[in-house]
Amino acid sequence: MSVDTGPTRGERQPTISIPRPRTGHPDPDAPTWQVREDGLDHTALADLESVFALANGQLGVRGVLEEGGASGNPGSYLNSCYEECELTYPESGYAFPERNQVLVGAPEGTRIRLFVAGHPVDPTVDGTDRHERILDLRDGTLRRSFGWTAPSGAAVEVHSTRLVSFVHPAVLAIRYEVAATDRPVRIRLHSELRANPALPEQDTEDPRAPTVLERPLLPERHVTDGLGGVLAHRARRSGHRIVAAVTHLLDAAGAEVDVDSGPDLVRVAVETRLAPGQRLRVTKLVGYAWSGQRPLDALIADAGTAVAEAARGGWAGLRADQRGYLDGFWADADVVVDGDPQLQQAVRFALFHLLQATARAGERPLPAKGLTGNGYDGHTMWDAETFVLPVLTYLRPDAAAAALRWRHATLDRARERAGELRLAGAAFPWRTIDGRECSGYWPAGTAALHVNADIAAAVLRYVAVTDDRALLRDAGLELLVETARLWNRVGHFDDAGGFHIDGVTGPDEYTALGNDNLFTNVMARRNLLGAVGAAELLPDRARQLGVEQAELDAWRAAAEAMHLPYDDGREVHQQCAGFTALEEWDFAGTPADEYPLLLHYPYLELYRRQVIKQADVVLAMQHCGELFTPEQKARNFAYYQRRTVGDSSLSASAQAILAAELGHLELGYAHLAESALQDLHGLAGQSRDGLHIAALAGVWLALVTGFGGLRDGGGELAFAPRLPAALTRLEFSLRWRGRRLRVTVTGNTATYLLRDGTDEHGIRLRHHGTRVHLRPRRPRRLPLPELPDPGPEPVAPPGRAPRRRLAGQPVTAIRAARPGVGAPVPPPAQPGPEAPAPG
């Protein structure tokens, strides 16, 4: 199942504010580089823990409060460190997956319990006079500050700064400071490293809720050492080992220190008396090591080394390293959006969390929630190749290559799965951590074979953009070959010579087990032709993989004969064969509180009606646009817009891209805002288990491929930029064949700048169809052609249209009724329905 969308429309939202620039602030753009919470919203603790999570692709720490007390869904996670549990079925069946893999919580290093004059401090209860949190997107830190007054009247100021290091990827660091304000006070601080913490109960009625395992870690060793200690554990069934080491750097003259440990706990207690204005400062360093194969002593040594290296540079060194890493990232990745400060902040928030999900992941999976939570049990899905990898390919190609090499490392398990399913080649899993299928719902899991083509498309895009022949030879060609072999076994020719793929599920999970799903067919076609082209480019390597000319001919024949279902009467492509003949969903009779539909209606109702969870045909036109005429795109988009309810977070960005391409710029802008703001503003329980990483990647795609008009077919860059009325400038960078290109779009011009390179030949690209020869450091400024009349704006189902935003909204606390809402703008006049109209 794909990642699901934000809150029900119309719900009240808690407060996250965008910081206002202070008088004399050295950087007036600073508000869009921070996310600030003023006060504590007790109704959205879990969502805010996701928003304020810190990660680096290897280690993730949710934004819990150090002092403990109330929490939403606490957790720290290590990429690929999982436990196993049985998958149970009311009725079992052949080839049903037997085991689930569940991302296991690592020992928690965030807890620093504070006692003032003998009273425990809990910022979520009485005694707190203010509370502020700031996620700094340039520094890569989470800062907190609050004041607290004990029942005795003694008051303190508390400040903490937390980071998960990009430079030391196994390290969490916290600087924690307590200052007495108006009178002497006794302070006691308990810094804890705790395994197997109690977790809150999950909503068992929601099929998307993560699996909660009771005490999944078995203790193997616990020791104390100076101002810290070590905890070593092993997952009961998977055998994965986790070692966590902790130490502290103290700045507290005369403090009393006590260290103790148990099987699940290392505690360092610090006690001192502070005079007014005096402060206690503690720097806490936690290092992790984990593996499913390496011996315990080696992991203990690794965790200790991680902590020692972080301590060597101290807190100042860690901060400087973090800022330096992010300076390099933003120099290449920042997207400038003028005219909508809230959207600008959301774009940078999206890019920051995309970096946190992928930066140091290496050859490991990219989970749907990153490491911001345990949603979907930490599984990676098709979202990674379809949404995340395109962005990485253009911004951080090394990270994209590592993700593809991880897929290649799991190829043997995909081959085994194909054999189990009586198929050929490889059948990649719908949900997994280590490459084995973990989806127990086969109509939307095993039947969603398009994941094979999604992986192949990611390989083809990466090679086209980077020209990395080494990866193609080492891993890419084998991925293309084995995925292509599946389609030749799954599909068949009819009597008239058409090639069909039957009984599969496309991206839209409200339609399952259809024949000739359009997205699957066009992507399988690309997979087959891409495999042929790559095999012909590397014939020696292809022969090593057992590819013969007859097989290449069969792939080419299947691709050229691929059936694309089309309704001649309605003049639209069908999402799958017969889709347009299904009964229409009663949108007008569906109450607003019954969305998302999957939580209120049986799949039997959903599968046999024209109702769409997320973009499907729209995605097909986005990824394989060369197969559709402009007129077909316009008719298809209007038809499916009317039937798409957006119950998935993945839908809005795809709709934004096609709306922009077709000239419906304001509709595209509304969809863009919905995609960009759903996690940052949509605090209504949908982000409690982690952020929607693929949807955050979709924000970049909507801006760059939507309003920037980027296309990369045929080995050539092409742009067709246009901006909605609210945006006065869009500026973005990307990499192409090792070169850095900067594109700046204003209301009537686009400027292209090749930022580096000494080759005077430069690169060639297209601007609205016109060929442009771009040389290094010689900007080309070109006019935007007049926008043709796109016709009536397509409409959405009643109550499911993206809300419009007013231009120039003041930068204030976010209290929107739903994601992306400022003051509402009346929707445009609705055109009459095509026949037949839903409802």
Side-chain angles (χ1 to χ4, degrees), residues 630-708:
E631 295 76 18
Q632 288 173 339
K633 288 182 180 180
R635 291 194 299 268
N636 288 344
F637 184 73
Y639 188 89
Y640 290 101
Q641 179 82 356
R642 190 181 287 275
R643 291 157 177 83
T644 302
V645 296
D647 281 350
S648 167
S649 66
L650 301 179
S651 199
S653 64
Q655 290 169 290
I657 292 166
L658 259 293
E661 178 181 337
L662 294 170
H664 298 294
L665 301 180
E666 304 313 313
L667 177 61
Y669 176 54
H671 277 304
L672 165 65
E674 184 153 28
S675 183
L677 299 173
Q678 60 187 298
D679 276 319
L680 186 56
H681 298 187
L683 305 177
Q686 291 300 319
S687 300
R688 62 166 288 112
D689 303 324
L691 302 179
H692 303 83
I693 299 300
L696 294 175
V699 175
W700 189 91
L701 294 173
L703 283 166
V704 175
T705 69
F707 294 109

Side-chain angles (χ1 to χ4, degrees), residues 484-502 515-517 520-522 524-525 528 554-565:
R485 283 171 171 160
L486 176 128
W487 300 119
N488 245 37
R489 174 66 179 83
V490 168
H492 67 95
F493 287 92
D494 63 19
D495 293 341
F499 191 80
H500 301 268
I501 300 173
D502 296 334
N515 296 336
D516 288 318
N517 170 255
T520 302
N521 282 18
V522 300
R525 179 182 181 276
L528 291 163
W555 292 347
R556 185 180 287 109
E560 293 173 350
M562 188 70 69
H563 179 66
L564 307 184

Side-chain angles (χ1 to χ4, degrees), residues 3-6 45-53 62 73 77 103 202 208 210 349 353 367-378 649 678-680 682-683 685-694 696:
V3 185
D4 291 282
T5 193
L45 286 172
D47 299 84
L48 291 166
E49 288 166 4
S50 300
V51 168
F52 291 119
R62 284 174 60 79
N73 184 27
Y77 305 103
L103 187 68
Q202 295 290 332
R208 304 164 298 177
F349 174 83
H353 273 291
K369 300 289 188 179
L371 295 173
T372 66
N374 59 349
Y376 294 102
D377 291 341
S649 66
Q678 60 187 298
D679 276 319
L680 186 56
L683 305 177
Q686 291 300 319
S687 300
R688 62 166 288 112
D689 303 324
L691 302 179
H692 303 83
I693 299 300
L696 294 175

Side-chain angles (χ1 to χ4, degrees), residues 161-231:
T161 304
R162 179 190 306 182
L163 65 84
V164 170
S165 177
F166 289 112
V167 176
H168 303 274
V171 171
L172 159 69
I174 302 173
R175 168 65 67 93
Y176 196 86
E177 299 176 273
V178 185
T181 57
D182 59 349
R183 68 183 70 179
V185 63
R186 195 75 181 173
I187 300 294
R188 186 171 177 84
L189 182 150
H190 289 177
S191 178
E192 297 179 349
L193 178 65
R194 183 181 292 274
N196 290 316
L199 296 176
E201 293 185 4
Q202 295 290 332
D203 180 3
T204 57
E205 298 299 319
D206 189 338
R208 304 164 298 177
T211 303
V212 175
L213 303 177
E214 294 294 330
R215 300 187 60 80
L217 299 180
L218 297 173
E220 290 195 307
R221 192 176 302 177
H222 62 93
V223 296
T224 60
D225 181 14
L227 292 177
V230 173
L231 293 180

Side-chain angles (χ1 to χ4, degrees), residues 304-370:
T305 298
V307 167
E309 290 180 350
R312 191 172 298 119
W315 178 250
L318 288 167
R319 288 289 302 272
D321 287 346
Q322 191 83 337
R323 179 61 185 251
Y325 187 96
L326 282 164
D327 283 347
F329 170 72
W330 289 117
D332 286 341
D334 188 29
V335 176
V336 177
V337 180
D338 284 350
D340 188 339
Q342 287 187 5
L343 181 61
Q344 176 69 87
Q345 182 209 35
V347 170
R348 287 173 173 152
F349 174 83
L351 285 167
F352 178 74
H353 273 291
L354 185 65
L355 176 70
Q356 290 203 130
T358 62
R360 303 304 299 268
E363 294 183 20
R364 297 184 179 91
L366 303 178
K369 300 289 188 179

Side-chain angles (χ1 to χ4, degrees), residues 393-431:
T393 296
Y394 280 110
L395 296 183
R396 298 177 64 82
D398 289 349
L404 292 172
R405 290 187 185 278
W406 170 76
R407 279 291 191 187
H408 183 256
T410 68
L411 186 53
D412 284 343
R413 286 174 175 165
R415 289 192 185 101
E416 292 171 6
R417 181 62 174 162
E420 190 176 32
L421 296 172
R422 307 294 181 92
L423 301 175
F428 281 94
W430 188 241
R431 293 176 56 159

Side-chain angles (χ1 to χ4, degrees), residues 19 39 56 82 89 240 344 481-482 533 646 658 701 764:
N56 59 24
Y82 66 86
Y89 304 91
H240 282 248
Q344 176 69 87
V481 165
E482 294 296 356
L658 259 293
L701 294 173
R764 297 185 184 274

